[in-house]
Amino acid sequence: MLELRNVARGKGRGLLPDDPSLKRMIREWVHGRRGLSADYAALFSDVFGVPFAAGRGNAAPVPSPVATDLAARLAVAEAIDAPLIVSLEAQTQSFRTLDRQLGAARLLQQTEAHVGQMTDLWRYALPGAHRTVLAAALAEAAALAGWQALDLGDPEKAWSLHETAKAAARESGIPSIVAHVTAQQAYALLDLGRSASAVTLIQHARQAANGKVPDLLRSWLWAAEAEALAANGAADEAQEALDHAGAALPSQGLDESLPYLFLNEVHLARWRGHCLARLGKSEAVQELANAVNLLDPTFTRAAAGLRCDLALAYSVRGQHEEARAEARVAEELATRTASARQRRRIAALLTSGTGPSGR
């Protein structure tokens, strides 16, 4: 019906009836209860490229509302070009920047709408270079929305969004995106307490990506695996994975081909401190304290997790006053970003001295 209205406007036909009325007219045409006027016959002929005759008994059947909707979606998808995809990617990047400062509560609805629009375009786009590039952009956007859902305490939605991300990533054929969205999905498992399954999923992603991805992503995959291993109580394996992460981390710490990754020496130190704190290692305090002093202040949610880890590390060392002070700062930061995930960790820490995994 959208395409029908567009053609009518182009012909100066004026406004068509509202959607319910137009649907009723189409049903009557389809069932032969109403004759097709010359004006509508001309409109349908232009929309579908086949002749429609006025009156009853057209040479070509009048399309159903479902068919006209499909035609409209296909027509919109045909408009996909490189500038449009660049614009969609820029929007995703804007959501990333806002997310790390403001938190997911203020953004998830917008990000989901963004993902929905991109998914609709992708599903109706014909095969070709533009569809493949759009698939890559969709995978990154869906993974961001999935991470936001996880931060708001909804692992089921997070898992579903990552399934969309993986499907699009596989079509993109880009190993880096496939590895990233697959490994990130494991955090839904960690939040459900299924640390062994999380280890398995991340190891699968890392091994499949071996030799196919940039060093920055290799470092990230090893660090994610270390976190899952630490959550599973595998101290030696976690330490070995952290060593691999450090060895793989490039000195630059940035890669323009990986806009979804923020990983440098400071972030890796934060990750290492988290793993050591989870394992009850007293040396975690120094790692985390150094990271506190060097962390970019715009990473508000990351700072909440870092302070929570530092509180846990102080608690392990018996420094309870310091632990309480850090927990209060962590709680303030988590409240600012409305992070249900970090607030759950902090509550667990304050009541029992331990907390579930966080990043």
Side-chain angles (χ1 to χ4, degrees):
M1 287 188 289
L2 176 62
E3 189 65 17
L4 196 64
R5 294 185 189 282
N6 289 337
V7 172
R9 281 195 296 269
K11 287 181 167 290
R13 167 69 170 73
L15 294 176
L16 299 181
D18 59 25
D19 283 356
S21 297
L22 195 54
K23 287 179 180 179
R24 184 170 59 254
M25 291 165 65
I26 290 173
R27 283 195 298 270
E28 291 174 351
W29 286 323
V30 168
H31 295 292
R33 295 192 296 266
R34 180 182 186 137
L36 191 63
S37 70
D39 282 346
Y40 278 107
L43 290 178
F44 282 121
S45 296
D46 285 343
V47 169
F48 293 98
V50 293
F52 283 76
R56 300 174 188 267
N58 285 285
V62 176
S64 69
V66 173
T68 58
D69 186 56
L70 173 60
R73 289 172 182 267
L74 290 169
V76 171
E78 285 176 355
I80 298 171
D81 57 15
L84 175 61
I85 296 172
V86 169
S87 177
L88 291 169
E89 289 178 323
Q91 191 172 358
T92 301
Q93 183 59 32
S94 174
F95 287 142
R96 282 194 196 101
T97 302
L98 291 170
D99 174 65
R100 78 188 190 203
Q101 291 185 257
L102 302 179
R106 297 171 177 84
L107 290 171
L108 178 57
Q109 188 173 7
Q110 297 177 61
T111 312
E112 282 190 286
H114 177 55
V115 170
Q117 181 184 54
M118 294 174 73
T119 302
D120 209 43
L121 288 171
W122 173 55
R123 285 176 175 168
Y124 292 94
L126 297 179
H130 290 324
R131 178 180 169 115
T132 301
V133 177
L134 178 61
L138 169 59
E140 295 178 15
L144 173 62
W147 184 255
Q148 290 175 340
L150 194 63
D151 191 49
L152 294 178
D154 192 342
E156 183 175 354
K157 178 180 286 188
W159 185 271
S160 178
L161 284 162
H162 278 91
E163 284 297 307
T164 297
K166 288 194 300 182
R170 284 191 289 266
E171 181 166 329
S172 79
I174 301 176
S176 296
I177 297 178
V178 175
H180 176 253
V181 302
T182 302
Q184 186 173 277
Q185 188 180 37
Y187 280 86
L189 296 172
L190 284 176
D191 278 19
L192 291 171
R194 301 175 64 91
S195 55
S197 297
V199 171
T200 299
L201 184 55
I202 296 173
Q203 286 179 339
H204 166 76
R206 177 181 57 76
Q207 291 163 2
N210 188 38
K212 303 175 185 176
V213 301
D215 288 343
L216 185 66
L217 182 56
R218 283 203 306 119
S219 179
W220 185 91
L221 289 167
W222 276 115
E225 185 173 330
E227 181 172 351
L229 287 164
N232 204 40
D236 292 342
E237 292 89 341
Q239 184 60 64
E240 183 179 356
L242 287 170
D243 292 342
H244 284 301
L249 184 67
S251 57
Q252 177 70 16
L254 294 172
D255 190 322
E256 291 184 358
S257 70
L258 306 170
Y260 41 84
L261 285 191
F262 296 98
L263 184 62
N264 55 24
E265 289 288 353
V266 176
H267 286 279
L268 187 56
R270 177 172 66 86
W271 224 331
R272 188 163 47 244
H274 168 79
C275 293
L276 293 174
R278 283 299 303 264
L279 293 168
K281 303 291 186 181
S282 61
E283 59 266 33
V285 168
Q286 191 59 52
E287 289 275 7
L288 294 166
N290 290 339
V292 165
N293 295 327
L294 296 173
L295 184 67
D296 183 339
T298 64
F299 285 80
T300 309
R301 185 175 55 210
L306 174 55
R307 294 285 188 167
C308 186
D309 290 333
L310 187 52
L312 175 58
Y314 275 130
S315 180
V316 168
R317 286 176 32 160
Q319 296 175 257
H320 300 299
E321 285 298 323
E322 291 86 346
R324 281 191 288 271
E326 291 297 336
R328 284 194 293 270
V329 175
E331 188 171 25
E332 178 186 343
L333 290 167
T335 300
R336 189 186 308 172
T337 61
S339 173
R341 191 167 188 258
Q342 296 299 347
R343 292 172 76 177
R344 186 174 67 247
R345 294 186 63 222
I346 294 161
L349 173 65
L350 292 175
T351 57
S352 66
T354 60
S357 172
R359 195 179 88 190

